[in-house]
Amino acid sequence: QLQLVESGGGLVQPGGSLRLSCAASGFPLGAYAIGWFRQAPGKEREGVSCISGSGGITHYADSVKGRFTISRDFAKNTVYLQMSSLKPEDTAVYSCATRMLSCSNRPDLYNYWGQGTQVTVSS
């Protein structure tokens, strides 16, 4: 059974860092693109970052470029989102999702989703 489980969320002060993990089971991550999305209260879900199946291609939303880094560990079948210089506007539920083929910033094109992890940036 294909499953994604996120972890690593929490409360952090502005300027702080967090690392989110997306652990996959039931399928090899290397065959799929993995996207990170976030949704704040009252707002639509937005794409944050994505990494290709091979790990060689990455994408970032303009709002997080230079602050977030996506990576994958094939041995652990896990994708990470390292978040630095966090801002209050980064507060949201962060979810990872997977799809075959290439990355996309459209959440409707992803087939499987994790349950999400809350990130709160506040002093």
Side-chain angles (χ1 to χ4, degrees), residues 75-110:
K76 295 183 178 180
N77 222 31
T78 298
V79 169
Y80 302 100
L81 185 68
Q82 178 67 47
M83 306 186 296
S84 302
S85 302
L86 283 163
K87 305 174 182 180
E89 51 263 43
D90 293 318
T91 296
V93 174
Y94 285 71
S95 302
C96 62
T98 184
R99 67 186 298 265
M100 294 192 73
L101 304 176
S102 58
C103 282
S104 173
N105 63 354
R106 288 178 50 185
D108 61 305
L109 295 182
Y110 286 76

Side-chain angles (χ1 to χ4, degrees), residues 5-120:
V5 178
E6 302 97 333
S7 61
L11 173 64
V12 63
Q13 292 186 343
S17 299
L18 282 175
R19 189 178 76 160
L20 304 183
S21 299
C22 174
S25 60
F27 70 103
L29 264 184
Y32 295 79
I34 296 290
W36 280 100
F37 294 83
R38 66 186 181 186
Q39 187 166 23
K43 294 187 177 181
E44 292 188 355
R45 180 176 283 171
E46 64 170 340
V48 175
S49 183
C50 184
I51 189 166
S52 65
S54 66
I57 300 174
T58 58
H59 298 274
Y60 297 93
D62 288 341
S63 58
V64 306
K65 278 181 183 176
R67 301 188 297 121
F68 291 11
T69 303
I70 192 170
S71 62
R72 66 196 309 160
D73 185 327
F74 291 99
K76 295 183 178 180
N77 222 31
T78 298
V79 169
Y80 302 100
L81 185 68
Q82 178 67 47
M83 306 186 296
S84 302
S85 302
L86 283 163
K87 305 174 182 180
E89 51 263 43
D90 293 318
T91 296
V93 174
Y94 285 71
S95 302
C96 62
T98 184
R99 67 186 298 265
M100 294 192 73
L101 304 176
S102 58
C103 282
S104 173
N105 63 354
R106 288 178 50 185
D108 61 305
L109 295 182
Y110 286 76
N111 308 108
Y112 298 95
W113 290 79
Q115 82 288 353
T117 185
Q118 176 71 46
V119 171
T120 302

